[in-house]
Amino acid sequence: MIEVIYKDEKQTAKGNEESFNLPKNIRQIGIPNEKYRIYIEDYVYTFLKKIAEKAEEEEKGAAAVFTGEIKWNSGTGYLFIRGALTAEAGEISAEHVEFSDLTWQKLHEETEHYFAGQEIIGWFLTQKSLQMEVTEGVQRIHMKLFGGEKALMLMDPVEKEEAFFCYDNGRLLRQSGYYIYYEKNPQMQAYMLEKNPELNQPEQELVADDAVKTFRKIIQKKHTEETQETEERASVFSYAATACLVLAVLTVGVQFYQNYNHKSITDTITETVSRTANSTEVTKAERQTEKNQLRQLPR
């Protein structure tokens, strides 16, 4: 079961022991139990997947340690995984993991350098075809290197499976769910870019989580649809404006034509009337002349 949850405000865990803010913008994987609540930051999760992919290519196991903090409230343990450091421990497998004094020294130095103020709160193990269960060997390694309270995460890069385990009642028990949260994490980004120069690209491209990609695709699709709608509206408006312009030109043309014809007809009528009037005046003058000539004839 996978559920995506985006919260606008931070929640606060309140109880008898202490209160603290919970991350906002989280993705819930499975159903977390009431005994342990694990929150892993997305850049950390992305880095672990890179480690697993590289281990698969090289056909060997790999390990890392988690940095962050553990809080307790009303009997519930809250593990906030804010960073991860690669553990260079030679040959690593589900049957054999050994951290030398030199390995621990380097891990503590890197914790102080990259994640000052945080503590080591667990570890990560990946291997091709790794079973999502804790064997006696893994249980023994965990208790020897980390002890109780600390968390363990297993990841199989082939089957794309992963699971968290927390110590309870003398055993590492698989957790039914956990949270991936999203926030600015410059410490982890700096470590990632130093260990993996190929990741030196815009911040948004570092987030490889499917939920984030899906969310961005939805936003991009919405933006594209809005752009197309705007263009369609602009096209319709342009067409309407062009049609109105053509109609206006035709109207002016018709009116001009009508006015021109009207003027021509008016001029013709005026000319005809003028000619008729002139003709009438000439006829009257001729008649008067004839009358005068008749009067002058001898009787």
Side-chain angles (χ1 to χ4, degrees):
M1 174 183 176
I2 299 178
E3 181 181 1
V4 178
I5 306 174
Y6 292 95
K7 299 178 184 281
D8 294 328
E9 298 180 356
K10 288 185 178 180
Q11 291 185 331
T12 302
K14 297 180 179 180
N16 298 327
E17 297 169 50
E18 60 179 321
S19 61
F20 46 88
N21 291 327
L22 299 179
K24 64 178 181 178
N25 296 332
I26 62 174
R27 177 188 177 195
Q28 178 178 316
I29 308 297
I31 304 177
N33 61 36
E34 294 298 325
K35 185 66 179 293
Y36 289 100
R37 297 294 178 92
I38 301 173
Y39 292 83
I40 179 170
E41 203 279 321
D42 181 65
Y43 284 111
V44 179
Y45 181 76
T46 300
F47 181 65
L48 298 178
K49 292 183 70 174
K50 292 292 183 181
I51 293 177
E53 291 171 1
K54 184 177 180 181
E56 179 187 2
E57 293 175 357
E58 298 177 354
E59 296 186 351
K60 65 179 184 179
V65 299
F66 295 138
T67 66
E69 58 182 342
I70 300 175
K71 300 286 187 179
W72 286 90
N73 184 278
S74 300
T76 300
Y78 293 82
L79 284 76
F80 301 100
I81 302 174
R82 308 188 190 281
L85 299 167
T86 303
E88 298 176 1
E91 183 180 352
I92 297 175
S93 68
E95 292 75 30
H96 178 78
V97 178
E98 186 68 35
F99 286 10
S100 65
D101 292 340
L102 184 60
T103 299
W104 278 116
Q105 180 181 349
K106 184 177 180 181
L107 288 173
H108 285 297
E109 289 176 353
E110 289 186 333
T111 299
E112 289 297 323
H113 178 71
Y114 292 102
F115 307 105
Q118 301 182 27
E119 59 180 326
I120 295 176
I121 61 173
W123 65 301
F124 167 80
L125 177 64
T126 182
Q127 185 179 354
K128 183 178 181 180
S129 302
L130 181 65
Q131 297 296 316
M132 294 296 103
E133 60 183 27
V134 174
T135 63
E136 290 296 331
V138 173
Q139 171 88 12
R140 183 173 58 256
I141 293 169
H142 179 86
M143 295 306 298
K144 178 182 178 180
L145 299 178
F146 299 94
E149 285 193 2
K150 305 294 192 296
L152 165 65
M153 183 182 188
L154 301 180
M155 182 178 290
D156 179 6
V158 177
E159 300 297 330
K160 308 299 180 184
E161 291 185 322
E162 59 202 43
F164 273 99
F165 298 83
C166 290
Y167 193 77
D168 191 17
N169 293 325
R171 295 284 305 173
L172 281 171
L173 300 180
R174 181 169 179 169
Q175 301 302 295
S176 56
Y178 58 95
Y179 302 96
I180 298 175
Y181 70 95
Y182 307 88
E183 68 179 18
K184 293 181 179 179
N185 191 348
Q187 296 93 336
M188 189 64 210
Q189 291 182 55
Y191 181 78
M192 289 173 67
L193 294 178
E194 183 171 321
K195 295 297 180 180
N196 298 276
E198 66 274 11
L199 294 178
N200 191 15
Q201 51 186 309
E203 176 180 337
Q204 60 268 23
E205 297 300 327
L206 292 176
V207 183
D209 189 82
D210 292 339
V212 176
K213 287 184 177 180
T214 301
F215 180 75
R216 287 175 179 159
K217 287 180 181 179
I218 293 173
I219 296 300
Q220 184 177 4
K221 181 180 179 182
K222 182 178 179 181
H223 175 71
T224 302
E225 290 176 349
E226 290 177 349
T227 302
Q228 291 177 348
E229 183 179 357
T230 301
E231 291 177 351
E232 289 174 357
R233 289 178 179 176
S235 178
V236 171
F237 176 78
S238 177
Y239 175 79
T242 303
C244 290
L245 180 60
V246 171
L247 181 59
V249 171
L250 289 175
T251 302
V252 172
V254 170
Q255 290 178 351
F256 177 80
Y257 178 77
Q258 290 176 345
N259 291 337
Y260 177 80
N261 287 343
H262 177 72
K263 184 178 182 300
S264 298
I265 295 172
T266 303
D267 292 343
T268 302
I269 295 173
T270 302
E271 184 179 356
T272 303
V273 172
S274 178
R275 288 178 179 176
T276 304
N278 292 335
S279 177
T280 303
E281 293 295 330
V282 170
T283 303
K284 287 182 179 180
E286 290 177 350
R287 288 180 180 176
Q288 185 64 36
T289 301
E290 290 177 355
K291 287 180 179 181
N292 292 334
Q293 290 176 351
L294 289 174
R295 288 176 183 173
Q296 293 176 1
L297 290 176
R299 294 184 179 180

